[in-house]
């Protein structure tokens, strides 16, 4: 490594952070700091007792040509596949429409799990796990990152790919766009995971739910290249999660399970495995215009799905544009 090469710290090893690192690694020395022991952020997979659940992002679509090209490369690498799901829309527990997702407008998933995409992107990157950054402090013309256990070496640039609420706390007051971050509000969500030992059948694979405390249900095991045990993933409405976030987990699980039984028209309480995930920062409203949070003077920046619309494509596009902006400053 050249001693005078630009050093960039990236906070968060979800899709935005990993994509940003990949795009900048030829131009700078990159270190990613991830507070958990896993890659992928909300592009997550939970594994336990032989069951697997994509308990964050459920699937993604591709519209922008740049993102389509990226998805095509991941398909060539056997990391992504299209999901020909039997999809329905349910309102008031009644089916309003049904269709099969096809190649006219593909819906994609990671294979054999959603976080396989993050594992693929992380190859060759320097990712520091279990590193909760508690402060970003100036030191001469550079930045020091502070953790509960000490400090990390000086960086020329620091880019946060954390949820907006966390970025508001961690970025220093000298960051020009810090006030603008206050306008971004992210919403929570609950994910209920159910795993079954016996064989079960469903009339559909994926469902949007309205007029309910649920917003989405999928037969996770129906996705391409998934493990055999039958698994269900049910996600709550954001508003319901916000209003009930601090209730005991047992009560949340009971209400979600009762609603899921009503939606699917069958008893589901005989699950071998039941788990609740509480996502504090799960989604963001679609922005009227894409938000930009690059402070060239301070060499600080933010990016993430919340800068556009809270989708996987949004995380990719936001981080790609920040990468191009930083690259231009390094020339």
């Amino acid at each position: 490594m050249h001693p005078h090469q630009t050093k960039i710290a990236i906070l968060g090893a979800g899709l935005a952070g990993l994509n940003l690192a990949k795009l900048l690694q030829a131009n700078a020395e990159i270190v990613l700091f991830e507070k958990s022991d896993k890659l992928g952020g909300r592009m997550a997979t939970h594994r336990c007792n032989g069951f697997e659940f994509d308990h964050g992002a459920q699937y993604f679509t591709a519209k922008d040509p740049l993102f389509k090209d990226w998805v095509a490369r991941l398909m060539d690498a056997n990391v992504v596949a299209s999901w020909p799901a039997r999809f329905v829309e349910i309102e008031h527990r009644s089916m309003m429409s049904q269709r099969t997702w096809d190649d006219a407008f593909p819906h994609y998933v990671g294979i054999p799990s959603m976080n396989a995409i993050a594992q693929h992107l992380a190859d060759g990157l320097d990712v520091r796990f279990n590193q909760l950054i508690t402060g970003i402090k100036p030191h001469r013309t550079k930045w020091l990152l502070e953790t509960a256990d000490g400090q990390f070496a000086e960086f020329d640039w620091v880019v946060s790919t954390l949820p907006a609420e966390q970025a508001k706390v961690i970025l220093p007051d000298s960051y020009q766009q810090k006030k603008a971050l206050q306008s971004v509000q992210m919403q929570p969500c609950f994910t209920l995971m159910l795993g079954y030992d016996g064989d079960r059948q469903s009339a559909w694979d994926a469902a949007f739910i309205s007029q309910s405390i649920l917003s989405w249900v999928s037969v996770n095991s129906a996705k391409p290249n998934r493990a055999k045990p039958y698994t269900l993933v049910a996600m709550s409405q954001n508003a319901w999660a916000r209003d009930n976030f601090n209730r005991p987990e047992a009560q949340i699980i009971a209400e979600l399970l009762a609603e899921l039984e009503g939606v699917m028209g069958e008893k589901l309480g005989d699950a071998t495995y039941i788990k609740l995930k509480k996502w504090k920062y799960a989604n963001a409203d679609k922005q009227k215009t894409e938000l930009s949070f690059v402070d060239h003077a301070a060499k600080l920046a933010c990016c993430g799905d919340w800068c556009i619309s809270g989708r996987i494509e949004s995380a990719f596009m936001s981080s790609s544009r920040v990468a191009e902006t930083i690259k231009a400053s390094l020339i």
Side-chain angles (χ1 to χ4, degrees), residues 191-202:
T191 301
L192 179 65
M193 295 166 266
L194 303 171
Y196 298 83
D197 286 333
D199 291 335
R200 300 183 79 102
Q201 300 294 325
S202 294

Side-chain angles (χ1 to χ4, degrees), residues 94-109:
S94 298
M95 188 182 301
M96 307 303 292
S97 67
Q98 57 183 319
R99 66 183 186 275
T100 298
W101 287 339
D102 58 29
D103 290 339
F105 184 52
H107 293 64
Y108 301 102
V109 295

Side-chain angles (χ1 to χ4, degrees), residues 61-307:
T61 56
K63 296 181 180 180
D64 189 279
L66 183 67
F67 187 60
K68 285 183 176 180
D69 288 345
W70 182 79
V71 172
R73 293 196 298 273
L74 291 182
M75 292 185 75
D76 289 342
N78 202 34
V79 179
V80 163
S82 61
W83 181 20
R86 299 170 298 161
F87 172 74
V88 300
E89 294 183 78
I90 295 174
E91 181 180 330
H92 289 300
R93 300 187 179 182
S94 298
M95 188 182 301
M96 307 303 292
S97 67
Q98 57 183 319
R99 66 183 186 275
T100 298
W101 287 339
D102 58 29
D103 290 339
F105 184 52
H107 293 64
Y108 301 102
V109 295
I111 54 173
S113 60
M114 283 301 291
N115 72 350
I117 299 171
Q119 299 287 345
H120 177 76
L121 292 176
D123 184 43
L125 296 177
D126 183 358
V127 184
R128 313 288 176 88
F129 293 101
N130 300 305
Q131 296 295 339
L132 176 62
I133 304 301
T134 57
I136 302 171
K137 305 295 183 184
H139 183 69
R140 294 192 286 270
T141 61
K142 300 183 185 296
W143 295 104
L144 285 175
L145 301 187
E146 294 183 334
T147 71
D149 301 321
Q151 294 181 333
F152 282 94
E154 300 172 342
F155 291 91
D156 299 286
W157 276 86
V158 178
V159 185
S160 170
T161 68
L162 307 174
E165 275 79 357
Q166 294 174 338
K168 295 172 191 177
V169 174
I170 195 68
L171 287 164
D173 291 339
S174 57
Y175 176 52
Q176 289 181 355
Q177 283 86 2
K178 188 165 186 179
K179 186 175 181 180
L181 278 174
Q182 304 303 321
S183 66
V184 180
Q185 301 295 323
M186 299 192 71
Q187 299 293 327
C189 180
F190 298 134
T191 301
L192 179 65
M193 295 166 266
L194 303 171
Y196 298 83
D197 286 333
D199 291 335
R200 300 183 79 102
Q201 300 294 325
S202 294
W204 41 261
D205 302 320
F208 279 138
I209 316 295
S210 60
Q211 302 300 316
S212 167
I213 66 173
L214 295 173
S215 64
W216 168 265
V217 179
S218 69
V219 181
N220 196 85
S221 48
K223 294 178 180 178
N225 294 38
R226 264 37 182 198
K228 292 299 183 182
Y230 182 90
T231 50
L232 283 173
V233 170
M235 309 187 87
S236 74
Q237 295 283 352
N238 296 129
W240 193 80
R242 183 187 64 239
D243 294 342
N244 293 274
F245 201 81
N246 293 319
R247 290 178 62 196
E249 280 198 9
Q251 294 179 14
I252 296 169
I253 290 171
E255 288 199 37
L256 290 175
L257 181 58
E259 182 67 8
L260 181 59
E261 289 180 334
V263 165
M264 299 192 72
E266 60 181 301
K267 292 295 184 181
L268 298 166
D270 60 334
T272 304
Y273 183 79
I274 300 177
K275 177 74 174 179
L276 181 74
K277 169 66 179 179
K278 300 169 73 173
W279 294 100
K280 192 171 184 179
Y281 306 118
N283 204 359
D285 293 335
K286 184 177 181 179
Q287 303 296 334
K288 293 180 180 178
T289 58
E290 181 177 347
L291 302 177
S292 177
F293 291 101
V294 180
D295 182 344
H296 286 281
K299 296 184 178 178
L300 296 169
C302 286
C303 62
D305 57 7
W306 50 269
C307 292

